[in-house]
Amino acid sequence: QQQVKQSPQSLIVQKGGIPIINCAYENTAFDYFPWYQQFPGKGPALLIAIRPDVSEKKEGRFTISFNKSAKQFSLHIMDSQPGDSATYFCAALGGNQGGKLIFGQGTELSVKP
Amino acid sequence: DTEVTQTPKHLVMGMTNKKSLKCEQHMGHRAMYWYKQKAKKPPELMFVYSYEKLSINESVPSRFSPECPNSSLLNLHLHALQPEDSALYLCASSQGLWGKTQYFGPGTRLLVL
């Protein structure tokens, strides 16, 4: 019940395409869902986050869609660029986890020029 | 400023050595975290400190010893490590434990020979 399932494991798109990364969770007590972007050899950087009372959130080219009833959320990257090539992790926080982020397994995104 | 700093960036140590990793934040955050990350995997939580007290220990072997000297500093003391402990060690901080964004440092790349 503590897992966050992320798909796909890897994704290749052409420049300008719209990669979509999906995550699903079981624990309805989760109340905070961040996405992190990580470049090789670097720490994860917070990209965008959402709470379950909101169905969509946009920040620049990044959009989170949230479906509370389905317990799913997804990241869309508009007009993707080669510089977006990185590993993306979804995560969930809340309930009785006491600060423990539950990460998805990650998606390795490659944007081809 | 959402910066978490970590030193050193890289560390090579033998199995009999004692070394320490350091983490610092000046955002006034009261929760600090140590994570371990293996290649192509999500970060794994090791320890959580809240208000300078150990809040979570994820059953980490005693060869890893955390220390929180004050609200801005977090150390991880290493002793008698094994080659399988080679990984990227990440520090993070947040305002508090509950539903708060965690900001990660750049990590220390550790190699145990």
Side-chain angles (χ1 to χ4, degrees), chain B residues 1-6 22-32 70-74 91-95 103-105:
Chain B
D1 182 12
T2 56
E3 188 177 26
V4 176
T5 59
Q6 291 187 243
K22 296 185 185 301
C23 173
E24 191 166 5
Q25 57 88 13
H26 293 289
M27 296 177 277
H29 289 173
R30 302 314 299 265
M32 296 186 76
N70 60 56
S71 59
S72 300
L73 293 174
L74 187 66
C91 175
S93 71
S94 65
Q95 283 185 326
Y103 296 95
F104 285 82

mmCIF file of all heavy atoms in Angstrom, chain B residues 1-6 22-32 70-74 91-95 103-105:
data_model
loop_
_atom_site.group_PDB
_atom_site.id
_atom_site.type_symbol
_atom_site.label_atom_id
_atom_site.label_comp_id
_atom_site.label_asym_id
_atom_site.label_seq_id
_atom_site.Cartn_x
_atom_site.Cartn_y
_atom_site.Cartn_z
ATOM 1 N N ASP B 1 16.354 31.344 -1.534
ATOM 2 C CA ASP B 1 17.471 30.428 -1.735
ATOM 3 C C ASP B 1 17.067 29.040 -1.236
ATOM 4 O O ASP B 1 16.651 28.877 -0.101
ATOM 5 C CB ASP B 1 18.700 30.949 -0.999
ATOM 6 C CG ASP B 1 19.918 30.055 -1.213
ATOM 7 O OD1 ASP B 1 19.863 29.184 -2.104
ATOM 8 O OD2 ASP B 1 20.912 30.229 -0.506
ATOM 9 N N THR B 2 17.137 28.043 -2.111
ATOM 10 C CA THR B 2 16.760 26.676 -1.740
ATOM 11 C C THR B 2 17.959 25.767 -1.865
ATOM 12 O O THR B 2 17.887 24.678 -2.416
ATOM 13 C CB THR B 2 15.615 26.179 -2.636
ATOM 14 O OG1 THR B 2 16.025 26.282 -4.007
ATOM 15 C CG2 THR B 2 14.353 26.967 -2.423
ATOM 16 N N GLU B 3 19.096 26.212 -1.344
ATOM 17 C CA GLU B 3 20.312 25.453 -1.554
ATOM 18 C C GLU B 3 20.681 24.603 -0.346
ATOM 19 O O GLU B 3 20.710 25.057 0.797
ATOM 20 C CB GLU B 3 21.481 26.385 -1.871
ATOM 21 C CG GLU B 3 22.747 25.643 -2.292
ATOM 22 C CD GLU B 3 23.878 26.578 -2.684
ATOM 23 O OE1 GLU B 3 23.894 27.719 -2.190
ATOM 24 O OE2 GLU B 3 24.736 26.166 -3.469
ATOM 25 N N VAL B 4 20.975 23.349 -0.651
ATOM 26 C CA VAL B 4 21.553 22.418 0.306
ATOM 27 C C VAL B 4 22.943 22.078 -0.221
ATOM 28 O O VAL B 4 23.081 21.694 -1.388
ATOM 29 C CB VAL B 4 20.697 21.140 0.427
ATOM 30 C CG1 VAL B 4 21.370 20.133 1.358
ATOM 31 C CG2 VAL B 4 19.295 21.479 0.915
ATOM 32 N N THR B 5 23.946 22.251 0.593
ATOM 33 C CA THR B 5 25.311 21.971 0.153
ATOM 34 C C THR B 5 25.817 20.705 0.826
ATOM 35 O O THR B 5 25.457 20.404 1.977
ATOM 36 C CB THR B 5 26.264 23.138 0.461
ATOM 37 O OG1 THR B 5 26.256 23.372 1.880
ATOM 38 C CG2 THR B 5 25.810 24.404 -0.257
ATOM 39 N N GLN B 6 26.674 19.973 0.089
ATOM 40 C CA GLN B 6 27.241 18.742 0.609
ATOM 41 C C GLN B 6 28.721 18.698 0.299
ATOM 42 O O GLN B 6 29.146 19.089 -0.785
ATOM 43 C CB GLN B 6 26.568 17.510 -0.033
ATOM 44 C CG GLN B 6 25.135 17.301 0.391
ATOM 45 C CD GLN B 6 24.575 15.997 -0.137
ATOM 46 O OE1 GLN B 6 23.629 15.989 -0.910
ATOM 47 N NE2 GLN B 6 25.149 14.896 0.304
ATOM 48 N N LYS B 22 29.287 15.660 5.040
ATOM 49 C CA LYS B 22 28.693 16.836 5.672
ATOM 50 C C LYS B 22 27.620 17.447 4.786
ATOM 51 O O LYS B 22 27.731 17.434 3.562
ATOM 52 C CB LYS B 22 29.764 17.880 5.975
ATOM 53 C CG LYS B 22 30.806 17.413 6.981
ATOM 54 C CD LYS B 22 31.766 18.511 7.345
ATOM 55 C CE LYS B 22 32.877 18.001 8.264
ATOM 56 N NZ LYS B 22 32.379 17.423 9.523
ATOM 57 N N CYS B 23 26.608 17.988 5.429
ATOM 58 C CA CYS B 23 25.486 18.623 4.745
ATOM 59 C C CYS B 23 25.133 19.891 5.495
ATOM 60 O O CYS B 23 25.137 19.922 6.741
ATOM 61 C CB CYS B 23 24.298 17.669 4.716
ATOM 62 S SG CYS B 23 22.769 18.384 4.080
ATOM 63 N N GLU B 24 24.808 20.944 4.745
ATOM 64 C CA GLU B 24 24.472 22.218 5.379
ATOM 65 C C GLU B 24 23.339 22.906 4.623
ATOM 66 O O GLU B 24 23.288 22.861 3.390
ATOM 67 C CB GLU B 24 25.711 23.122 5.411
ATOM 68 C CG GLU B 24 25.565 24.357 6.266
ATOM 69 C CD GLU B 24 26.901 25.041 6.537
ATOM 70 O OE1 GLU B 24 27.930 24.603 5.989
ATOM 71 O OE2 GLU B 24 26.906 26.020 7.293
ATOM 72 N N GLN B 25 22.442 23.505 5.371
ATOM 73 C CA GLN B 25 21.376 24.308 4.758
ATOM 74 C C GLN B 25 21.143 25.540 5.622
ATOM 75 O O GLN B 25 21.256 25.467 6.846
ATOM 76 C CB GLN B 25 20.084 23.496 4.577
ATOM 77 C CG GLN B 25 19.506 22.882 5.834
ATOM 78 C CD GLN B 25 18.559 23.781 6.614
ATOM 79 O OE1 GLN B 25 18.098 24.817 6.126
ATOM 80 N NE2 GLN B 25 18.229 23.401 7.848
ATOM 81 N N HIS B 26 20.808 26.649 4.957
ATOM 82 C CA HIS B 26 20.558 27.904 5.677
ATOM 83 C C HIS B 26 19.195 28.448 5.308
ATOM 84 O O HIS B 26 19.014 29.659 5.176
ATOM 85 C CB HIS B 26 21.669 28.913 5.363
ATOM 86 C CG HIS B 26 23.000 28.490 5.906
ATOM 87 N ND1 HIS B 26 23.297 28.491 7.257
ATOM 88 C CD2 HIS B 26 24.115 28.021 5.282
ATOM 89 C CE1 HIS B 26 24.529 28.065 7.437
ATOM 90 N NE2 HIS B 26 25.046 27.763 6.259
ATOM 91 N N MET B 27 18.235 27.528 5.149
ATOM 92 C CA MET B 27 16.875 27.927 4.807
ATOM 93 C C MET B 27 15.977 27.956 6.029
ATOM 94 O O MET B 27 14.778 28.181 5.914
ATOM 95 C CB MET B 27 16.314 26.966 3.757
ATOM 96 C CG MET B 27 17.070 27.019 2.445
ATOM 97 S SD MET B 27 16.468 25.843 1.229
ATOM 98 C CE MET B 27 17.325 24.352 1.731
ATOM 99 N N GLY B 28 16.553 27.660 7.195
ATOM 100 C CA GLY B 28 15.729 27.619 8.407
ATOM 101 C C GLY B 28 14.881 26.363 8.504
ATOM 102 O O GLY B 28 13.930 26.298 9.291
ATOM 103 N N HIS B 29 15.220 25.359 7.695
ATOM 104 C CA HIS B 29 14.466 24.114 7.730
ATOM 105 C C HIS B 29 14.765 23.338 9.006
ATOM 106 O O HIS B 29 15.890 23.321 9.502
ATOM 107 C CB HIS B 29 14.812 23.250 6.503
ATOM 108 C CG HIS B 29 14.270 23.802 5.232
ATOM 109 N ND1 HIS B 29 14.575 23.259 3.994
ATOM 110 C CD2 HIS B 29 13.435 24.837 4.982
ATOM 111 C CE1 HIS B 29 13.935 23.936 3.057
ATOM 112 N NE2 HIS B 29 13.245 24.899 3.632
ATOM 113 N N ARG B 30 13.729 22.652 9.541
ATOM 114 C CA ARG B 30 13.899 21.934 10.797
ATOM 115 C C ARG B 30 13.919 20.424 10.610
ATOM 116 O O ARG B 30 14.007 19.678 11.590
ATOM 117 C CB ARG B 30 12.814 22.347 11.795
ATOM 118 C CG ARG B 30 12.808 23.854 12.080
ATOM 119 C CD ARG B 30 14.191 24.426 12.345
ATOM 120 N NE ARG B 30 14.851 23.853 13.480
ATOM 121 C CZ ARG B 30 14.819 24.381 14.704
ATOM 122 N NH1 ARG B 30 14.158 25.492 14.923
ATOM 123 N NH2 ARG B 30 15.470 23.800 15.705
ATOM 124 N N ALA B 31 13.774 19.961 9.383
ATOM 125 C CA ALA B 31 13.876 18.526 9.103
ATOM 126 C C ALA B 31 14.995 18.313 8.099
ATOM 127 O O ALA B 31 15.102 19.041 7.110
ATOM 128 C CB ALA B 31 12.569 17.982 8.544
ATOM 129 N N MET B 32 15.829 17.316 8.362
ATOM 130 C CA MET B 32 16.937 16.998 7.456
ATOM 131 C C MET B 32 17.004 15.497 7.281
ATOM 132 O O MET B 32 16.652 14.731 8.181
ATOM 133 C CB MET B 32 18.257 17.564 7.983
ATOM 134 C CG MET B 32 18.252 19.093 8.041
ATOM 135 S SD MET B 32 19.834 19.817 8.496
ATOM 136 C CE MET B 32 20.769 19.629 6.974
ATOM 137 N N ASN B 70 23.474 20.840 14.863
ATOM 138 C CA ASN B 70 22.554 21.968 15.039
ATOM 139 C C ASN B 70 21.556 21.958 13.892
ATOM 140 O O ASN B 70 21.617 21.105 13.006
ATOM 141 C CB ASN B 70 23.312 23.306 15.132
ATOM 142 C CG ASN B 70 24.136 23.605 13.904
ATOM 143 O OD1 ASN B 70 23.601 23.627 12.782
ATOM 144 N ND2 ASN B 70 25.438 23.830 14.085
ATOM 145 N N SER B 71 20.672 22.915 13.872
ATOM 146 C CA SER B 71 19.562 22.873 12.915
ATOM 147 C C SER B 71 20.012 23.058 11.471
ATOM 148 O O SER B 71 19.243 22.786 10.551
ATOM 149 C CB SER B 71 18.522 23.939 13.265
ATOM 150 O OG SER B 71 19.114 25.231 13.241
ATOM 151 N N SER B 72 21.245 23.526 11.256
ATOM 152 C CA SER B 72 21.722 23.766 9.889
ATOM 153 C C SER B 72 22.636 22.677 9.368
ATOM 154 O O SER B 72 22.922 22.642 8.173
ATOM 155 C CB SER B 72 22.485 25.098 9.823
ATOM 156 O OG SER B 72 21.676 26.168 10.196
ATOM 157 N N LEU B 73 23.121 21.834 10.234
ATOM 158 C CA LEU B 73 24.156 20.872 9.857
ATOM 159 C C LEU B 73 23.710 19.433 10.076
ATOM 160 O O LEU B 73 23.020 19.120 11.057
ATOM 161 C CB LEU B 73 25.426 21.115 10.681
ATOM 162 C CG LEU B 73 26.183 22.410 10.431
ATOM 163 C CD1 LEU B 73 27.317 22.560 11.439
ATOM 164 C CD2 LEU B 73 26.736 22.447 9.016
ATOM 165 N N LEU B 74 24.148 18.580 9.172
ATOM 166 C CA LEU B 74 23.872 17.155 9.283
ATOM 167 C C LEU B 74 25.117 16.412 8.825
ATOM 168 O O LEU B 74 25.669 16.740 7.773
ATOM 169 C CB LEU B 74 22.671 16.763 8.415
ATOM 170 C CG LEU B 74 22.144 15.342 8.546
ATOM 171 C CD1 LEU B 74 21.552 15.099 9.927
ATOM 172 C CD2 LEU B 74 21.081 15.080 7.472
ATOM 173 N N CYS B 91 21.712 14.421 0.730
ATOM 174 C CA CYS B 91 21.124 15.091 1.882
ATOM 175 C C CYS B 91 19.944 15.907 1.386
ATOM 176 O O CYS B 91 19.961 16.419 0.256
ATOM 177 C CB CYS B 91 22.170 15.991 2.532
ATOM 178 S SG CYS B 91 21.552 16.999 3.899
ATOM 179 N N ALA B 92 18.918 16.030 2.198
ATOM 180 C CA ALA B 92 17.771 16.866 1.849
ATOM 181 C C ALA B 92 17.295 17.585 3.101
ATOM 182 O O ALA B 92 17.606 17.174 4.229
ATOM 183 C CB ALA B 92 16.645 16.029 1.249
ATOM 184 N N SER B 93 16.535 18.641 2.885
ATOM 185 C CA SER B 93 15.946 19.345 4.023
ATOM 186 C C SER B 93 14.547 19.812 3.656
ATOM 187 O O SER B 93 14.218 19.959 2.467
ATOM 188 C CB SER B 93 16.812 20.525 4.470
ATOM 189 O OG SER B 93 16.759 21.583 3.527
ATOM 190 N N SER B 94 13.725 20.037 4.678
ATOM 191 C CA SER B 94 12.378 20.566 4.473
ATOM 192 C C SER B 94 11.984 21.378 5.692
ATOM 193 O O SER B 94 12.575 21.248 6.760
ATOM 194 C CB SER B 94 11.371 19.445 4.213
ATOM 195 O OG SER B 94 11.238 18.613 5.343
ATOM 196 N N GLN B 95 10.958 22.202 5.515
ATOM 197 C CA GLN B 95 10.505 23.045 6.635
ATOM 198 C C GLN B 95 10.082 22.203 7.814
ATOM 199 O O GLN B 95 10.316 22.545 8.961
ATOM 200 C CB GLN B 95 9.334 23.915 6.192
ATOM 201 C CG GLN B 95 9.735 25.116 5.354
ATOM 202 C CD GLN B 95 8.543 26.015 5.057
ATOM 203 O OE1 GLN B 95 7.429 25.546 4.897
ATOM 204 N NE2 GLN B 95 8.787 27.299 4.967
ATOM 205 N N TYR B 103 14.119 19.515 -0.332
ATOM 206 C CA TYR B 103 15.117 20.048 -1.255
ATOM 207 C C TYR B 103 16.396 19.239 -1.076
ATOM 208 O O TYR B 103 16.897 19.096 0.036
ATOM 209 C CB TYR B 103 15.376 21.527 -0.986
ATOM 210 C CG TYR B 103 14.158 22.382 -1.229
ATOM 211 C CD1 TYR B 103 13.305 22.715 -0.187
ATOM 212 C CD2 TYR B 103 13.857 22.836 -2.512
ATOM 213 C CE1 TYR B 103 12.174 23.482 -0.404
ATOM 214 C CE2 TYR B 103 12.724 23.610 -2.731
ATOM 215 C CZ TYR B 103 11.884 23.924 -1.686
ATOM 216 O OH TYR B 103 10.761 24.677 -1.916
ATOM 217 N N PHE B 104 16.902 18.746 -2.203
ATOM 218 C CA PHE B 104 18.066 17.869 -2.172
ATOM 219 C C PHE B 104 19.351 18.636 -2.474
ATOM 220 O O PHE B 104 19.372 19.576 -3.260
ATOM 221 C CB PHE B 104 17.917 16.750 -3.205
ATOM 222 C CG PHE B 104 16.953 15.680 -2.793
ATOM 223 C CD1 PHE B 104 15.597 15.844 -2.982
ATOM 224 C CD2 PHE B 104 17.411 14.500 -2.214
ATOM 225 C CE1 PHE B 104 14.697 14.849 -2.591
ATOM 226 C CE2 PHE B 104 16.528 13.508 -1.836
ATOM 227 C CZ PHE B 104 15.168 13.680 -2.024
ATOM 228 N N GLY B 105 20.425 18.157 -1.869
ATOM 229 C CA GLY B 105 21.754 18.630 -2.219
ATOM 230 C C GLY B 105 22.278 17.885 -3.433
ATOM 231 O O GLY B 105 21.619 16.982 -3.947
#
